[in-house]
Amino acid sequence: MTKRPVAVIILAAGKGTRMRSDRPKVLHPIAGRPMLRWAIGAAEALAPERIGVVIGPGMEAVAAAAAPYSTRIQERQAGTADAVQAARDLVDGFDGAVIIAFADTPLVPAETYRRLADALGRSAADTPSAIAVLGMRPKDPAQYGRLVVADDGSLTAIVEYFDATPDQRSIGLCNAGLMAFDGRFLPELLDAIGNDNAKGEFYLTDAVGVARGRGLSCTVVEAPEEEVMGINSRAELAAAEARAQEQLRTAAMAGGATLIDPATVYLQADTQLGRDVTVEPSVVFGPGVVVEDHVTIRGFSHLEGVVVRQGAIIGPFARLRPGSEVQADAHVGNFVELKNTVLGRGAKANHLAYLGDSDIGAGSNIGAGTITCNYDGYLKHRTVIGENVFIGSNSALVAPVAVGDRANVAAGSVITRDVDADALGVARARQHGIEGWARTYRARKSAEKAAGKAGKEPAPSSGEG
Ligand code: UD1
Ligand code: MG
């Protein structure tokens, strides 16, 4: 059997009031990626012919996050069936599987989307199913829609909680939200759905009853509860984050990285860790980090927007900020911050430094306390350091400034002019010594102290005894 084409419609018009947020719910990130993009990512894995996102009026930020996929606007939130109606042009005449997904149910794996689409071809009864519904058996079925299943295993109805009888509410099998439709039937099923129910909404779930009435069969595909977790509140967002983190850690380890204490390492959906990377406890990865093979990232380091090349050693307590690249075998030590900086192959910045907007050549050594003064209060400027340069401790490099290959900068210098290759740049007061000065000083001070004590007047009375 050849695979039928797939279309995915993602519903995201909900306001998400329970988030109590100025940001649309589906843009809240999980592991750094907006919820909506997780749903889109799962959809993309099916290589669908069409992906459409249904949003509410004025949700431009959501539309931008959906790009390059097109959005349809549901003018008024009149229910999930009405939301699909808003995307009718994407499903009319589509001869394939149409999956309807919820943007606030972001951690459903692509494989589950696939199982749902594939279930359309089969059925517990003899006829192929027109609808496949994702089911779950939650510990607390709460207010989920209940799935009513016949003896032959086919699905006969979805009953929304508020419309369910006590008997129906006792059913443990619930509607997780995702549904797949045979595209040939979807338009007529949508058109037949009314809003005569407790909420006065057009329920997409009613499509099952309508389909049964027309002699079409429906089926259930079950998934574990954690997979289909919906997000309505900040607490549920945190639960989803925890689950995503666990999956990302497992994937990183499966890819050959050692996480010594995985639970303390925070990854992003886009974090890339190579083989034989070791990550010590309490390391945070922000967005856009690529770590090549054989890198060690020591404890309490924070990385974002950085590429760390083979064999480099980072931390402990290092901060790597966006636009940076740590080249092969370079070392970044404790309390060193890099921003928009390239640290060359084998170069070392081991202690207490701020290196911003700079290029540091291979093999150079940046002493403790080095600061690139990259900002003059108005503009940012670059510091360019050549290869095999030695920057002495506690130097300030006032950008724009360049230090040539193999040059030295004397410790404690404030460098405001370029230093030539092979030269020494020194910019500090010259030291001189005064013979016997400390001895004379001690003698004078102890004499003053003794005289002061002997001749001391009694302390003036405060008058209070
Ligand atoms: C829905 C299901 C319920 C299921 C539950 C699982 C229906 C009628 N009910 O209920 O059976 O157990 O999900 O979580 O489908 N949306 C729109 N436009 C609307 C209404 C909703 O785009 O007019 C979107 C929301 O943004 C959300 C999704 O559809 O992404 C689900 O809507 P929601 O109101 O959360 O449905 P539930 O009441 O949770
Ligand atoms: Mg919901």
Side-chain angles (χ1 to χ4, degrees):
M1 188 185 86
T2 54
K3 280 248 176 342
R4 296 178 65 200
V6 175
V8 183
I9 308 295
I10 299 172
L11 306 190
K15 291 196 187 68
T17 34
R18 277 174 286 168
M19 293 297 283
R20 298 187 189 285
S21 176
D22 294 335
R23 189 198 299 218
K25 174 164 81 174
V26 299
L27 297 188
H28 280 262
I30 297 169
R33 172 186 287 171
M35 270 185 228
L36 173 64
R37 290 309 309 193
W38 284 87
I40 289 176
E44 283 173 334
L46 301 185
E49 272 190 10
R50 300 172 189 180
I51 294 181
V53 179
V54 178
I55 62 174
M59 294 173 81
E60 286 80 17
V62 180
Y69 302 108
S70 64
T71 50
R72 298 291 180 275
I73 295 173
Q74 183 192 17
E75 290 301 336
R76 207 173 49 84
Q77 274 188 60
T80 45
D82 182 68
V84 180
Q85 289 281 27
R88 265 299 277 272
D89 66 302
L90 292 174
V91 301
D92 277 345
F94 186 77
D95 186 3
V98 180
I99 296 178
I100 311 296
F102 295 168
D104 69 352
T105 309
L107 298 185
V108 181
E111 176 222 318
T112 303
Y113 278 56
R114 171 50 69 198
R115 279 202 294 141
L116 206 58
D118 288 349
L120 289 176
R122 300 179 271 97
S123 166
D126 289 338
T127 44
S129 298
I131 305 176
V133 175
L134 192 62
M136 59 172 173
R137 297 179 188 277
K139 278 181 235 41
D140 174 16
Q143 297 183 355
Y144 287 116
R146 303 300 204 263
L147 302 184
V148 183
V149 173
D151 290 340
D152 65 1
S154 67
L155 178 67
T156 55
I158 305 179
V159 189
E160 286 306 298
Y161 178 82
F162 291 105
D163 302 296
T165 63
D167 259 9
Q168 289 169 330
R169 286 183 183 179
S170 71
I171 296 173
L173 184 60
C174 294
N175 177 21
L178 248 75
M179 297 171 78
F181 289 82
D182 183 326
R184 290 172 299 176
F185 304 112
L186 179 56
E188 62 171 271
L189 296 177
L190 282 175
D191 289 339
I193 292 172
N195 65 348
D196 182 16
N197 53 51
K199 284 192 181 169
E201 286 188 358
F202 295 88
Y203 292 159
L204 185 61
T205 46
D206 281 354
V208 170
V210 175
R212 295 287 297 192
R214 297 179 180 209
L216 298 167
S217 82
C218 305
T219 190
V220 181
V221 170
E222 287 198 43
E225 180 185 7
E226 316 80 67
E227 225 179 58
V228 295
M229 162 198 297
I231 297 169
N232 299 297
S233 64
R234 305 269 182 170
E236 285 167 352
L237 180 66
E241 178 75 38
R243 181 173 163 78
Q245 287 297 336
E246 217 166 282
Q247 290 173 343
L248 292 167
R249 291 166 189 144
T250 303
M253 292 187 280
T258 291
L259 308 187
I260 292 174
D261 186 2
T264 67
V265 174
Y266 286 82
L267 299 162
Q268 303 282 300
D270 67 354
T271 305
Q272 295 177 38
L273 302 184
R275 277 167 73 98
D276 292 311
V277 165
T278 297
V279 182
E280 290 187 358
S282 297
V283 171
V284 175
F285 291 90
V289 178
V290 176
V291 179
E292 292 187 351
D293 298 347
H294 302 284
V295 165
T296 297
I297 300 176
R298 305 183 66 190
F300 303 97
S301 294
H302 190 288
L303 298 83
E304 61 184 313
V306 58
V307 179
V308 183
R309 304 262 178 226
Q310 297 232 354
I313 300 175
I314 307 298
F317 300 99
R319 175 142 190 236
L320 305 185
R321 291 175 52 203
S324 297
E325 177 182 341
V326 178
Q327 292 184 343
D329 303 314
H331 294 188
V332 179
N334 41 268
F335 306 106
V336 172
E337 174 180 346
L338 261 57
K339 196 248 356 184
N340 199 19
T341 282
V342 178
L343 185 65
R345 176 181 284 266
K348 296 189 173 91
N350 274 334
H351 340 261
L352 303 163
Y354 171 62
L355 304 170
D357 300 306
S358 50
D359 298 292
I360 297 161
S364 288
N365 193 306
I366 308 297
T370 297
I371 306 284
T372 54
C373 309
N374 57 329
Y375 184 51
D376 60 14
Y378 298 90
L379 295 168
K380 298 277 173 70
H381 305 280
R382 283 197 88 75
T383 299
V384 179
I385 295 172
E387 295 187 357
N388 299 305
V389 167
F390 182 92
I391 306 288
S393 296
N394 210 34
S395 295
L397 303 162
V398 182
V401 73
V403 180
D405 293 343
R406 300 171 305 279
N408 272 38
V409 166
S413 293
V414 176
I415 299 295
T416 54
R417 283 182 289 134
D418 291 355
V419 179
D420 290 341
D422 295 303
L424 169 69
V426 52
R428 64 185 185 214
R430 182 179 288 276
Q431 177 177 342
H432 64 288
I434 303 174
E435 192 72 32
W437 183 93
R439 194 187 319 115
T440 312
Y441 176 79
R442 275 197 307 275
R444 193 179 80 229
K445 283 295 171 188
S446 44
E448 279 173 15
K449 197 172 170 185
K453 258 210 179 118
K456 224 174 186 175
E457 306 282 62
S461 163
S462 69
E464 286 172 11

